[in-house]
Amino acid sequence: MSAWDHTARFSVVIVTMARPEPLRRALQSVARELPDDGEVIVVDGDPKRSAESPVRELQERFPGLDVRYIASRPGVTLQRNVGIDAARRDVVVFIDDDCRLERGVFEVLACAYGDRAIVGVTGRVERRARDRLGPESHSRLRWLLVGAGRQGTMNSYGLRRPIVDVGEARDVEYMCGAFMSARREVAASMRFDETLNGYALGEDDDFSYRLSRVGRIRYEPAAAIFHDELGFAGMDRRQIDRVRVVNRAYLFRKNFPQTRRAKARFAVLMAMLCMHRIVNREWSGLRGLLGGMREVRRTRSPGVHLSPGAALLQPLASVRLVSTVQMALVFAAGLLVALGIDHFFEPW
């Protein structure tokens, strides 16, 4: 643990589910960096309590560290809310159980929270390079594809505008779920939306965007973590992509005005994602996307059953993009865009 002059005190919340080895590495990095008056809260969603042993080992190695183990029902949003309720410090810091903190993280966060207008702070999330088609998540091309605009904000239908200039501090409207922080009292009033259950894709965007409506969120590149991104390993690609569509449609309706233009852009995004899965020959993911679209439509119109193809076209029809020529242009544009992106939808 480290000791230095600061004002903010930190509660580090790590939610975990049957990943004891990555959790051990995450806990070691937190113990190395956390100030002496901080605390660590591990919320374990595993019925077998697999996180209990790593926590006990940490307590034995760092007897002066305030660390608590909490068993919980599984679910990312539920577990994070449990962590918020258990937190006893000024600032709650959320990291994933497959992350490792770089040096000086808490010093940077404490400096940022010296400004009382700041309600949330995040930092740089480093990842391994991927082998899928397209540029990295912070590329200028990706920024242009979502309509450009101010880096670090959300566009009209809830898609992240990437931070291209990653070395510059700035105010933002979203935080990556692997590394978020917020003043505890504000986090307790916002809470995570437990409607997004299970793996809860999109819960980080929802929480941080709502947080940005009540105060400033700061991106500080000097605060960095490394994220192993083990969350998708071994998961059903079809199920993941189905949840992407269902959750994103829900959050679009929840947080953003339902203008005709925004609906049209969201529908084009759906077409683009399907083309991306086709280009990468990810047939299971494509079936998941189409299944998610059909589920969204059924939710809006109970008793109406659409084929996957009709489910894909229906959102476009709702904004009057119905002619053969228009549809062809939409899908052609989706194909071209798909050729230029990689994990475009991954942060969602």
Side-chain angles (χ1 to χ4, degrees):
M1 295 183 291
S2 60
W4 34 272
D5 292 334
H6 56 90
T7 54
R9 299 183 305 152
F10 300 99
S11 297
V12 178
V13 173
I14 304 177
V15 304
T16 187
M17 177 69 174
R19 295 200 297 208
E21 290 308 318
L23 177 63
R24 282 187 174 91
R25 295 191 291 270
L27 289 172
Q28 293 294 328
S29 75
V30 171
R32 182 191 66 217
E33 293 298 313
L34 187 65
D36 294 334
D37 57 0
E39 67 175 352
V40 183
I41 302 167
V42 176
V43 185
D44 186 7
D46 185 0
K48 297 181 179 179
R49 300 171 70 99
S50 57
E52 196 166 16
S53 178
V55 170
R56 186 167 56 250
E57 292 168 10
L58 188 75
Q59 291 170 327
E60 292 172 356
R61 183 172 178 181
F62 298 92
L65 179 63
D66 185 354
V67 55
R68 280 178 285 154
Y69 171 87
I70 301 175
S72 168
R73 288 184 290 113
V76 172
T77 52
L78 170 64
Q79 288 174 250
R80 282 181 166 160
N81 284 338
V82 169
I84 291 172
D85 292 338
R88 299 178 295 203
R89 305 299 194 267
D90 310 308
V91 173
V92 183
V93 180
F94 301 95
I95 67 168
D96 284 356
D97 62 2
D98 56 347
C99 290
R100 298 186 300 279
L101 303 184
E102 301 294 334
R103 297 287 183 182
V105 166
F106 293 103
E107 289 91 331
V108 177
L109 295 182
C111 182
Y113 279 111
D115 183 343
R116 294 301 303 176
I118 301 295
V119 296
V121 184
T122 186
R124 196 172 72 255
V125 179
E126 301 288 352
R127 305 176 175 89
R128 290 188 178 89
R130 301 183 180 217
D131 57 4
R132 294 175 71 200
L133 180 67
E136 290 302 312
S137 58
H138 296 295
S139 74
R140 192 164 296 276
L141 173 60
R142 187 180 304 238
W143 173 70
L144 291 170
L145 290 174
V146 298
R150 186 161 62 87
Q151 297 178 33
T153 60
M154 297 289 227
N155 68 10
S156 62
Y157 53 97
L159 187 64
R160 297 178 180 183
R161 294 186 176 103
I163 299 173
V164 178
D165 302 312
V166 295
E168 297 181 8
R170 66 183 69 243
D171 285 359
V172 296
E173 292 182 340
Y174 64 81
M175 297 184 281
C176 174
F179 183 19
M180 300 185 290
S181 73
R183 295 191 188 276
R184 186 188 56 79
E185 67 273 16
V186 184
S189 65
M190 291 290 104
R191 305 185 71 78
F192 287 86
D193 186 343
E194 293 181 23
T195 303
L196 303 168
N197 56 20
Y199 192 67
L201 289 165
E203 95 291 344
D204 49 355
D205 286 354
D206 174 59
F207 175 80
S208 52
Y209 181 74
R210 288 186 288 115
L211 195 69
S212 75
R213 303 298 90 185
V214 300
R216 292 167 54 203
I217 298 179
R218 196 73 181 153
Y219 166 75
E220 294 289 347
I225 68 167
F226 187 87
H227 188 200
D228 285 324
E229 294 189 308
L230 301 178
F232 294 108
M235 294 186 68
D236 184 337
R237 173 57 65 176
R238 181 172 182 173
Q239 174 67 4
I240 291 172
D241 278 343
R242 183 194 67 79
V243 173
R244 289 187 198 281
V245 175
V246 172
N247 285 10
R248 276 300 150 184
Y250 166 69
L251 294 177
F252 172 38
R253 295 168 186 160
K254 173 184 176 181
N255 292 328
F256 299 90
Q258 300 295 288
T259 65
R260 175 179 293 183
R261 181 176 181 182
K263 289 180 180 179
R265 294 178 69 188
F266 189 83
V268 171
L269 172 64
M270 294 297 104
M272 180 177 66
L273 292 173
C274 290
M275 290 302 163
H276 178 261
R277 300 302 186 264
I278 292 170
V279 168
N280 280 286
R281 293 182 290 182
E282 295 176 351
W283 310 119
S284 180
L286 176 63
R287 289 193 295 271
L289 292 173
L290 295 175
M293 294 174 198
R294 180 167 53 193
E295 184 174 335
V296 168
R297 180 55 182 165
R298 284 175 177 173
T299 301
R300 289 185 66 88
S301 302
V304 177
H305 300 280
L306 302 176
S307 69
L312 174 60
L313 301 182
Q314 198 283 332
L316 299 175
S318 71
V319 291
R320 302 182 186 279
L321 297 177
V322 294
S323 75
T324 302
V325 173
Q326 287 171 321
M327 290 301 301
L329 288 174
V330 167
F331 277 86
L335 178 59
L336 290 174
V337 172
L339 289 170
I341 63 175
D342 171 20
H343 44 292
F344 180 79
F345 209 43
E346 294 288 350
W348 283 37

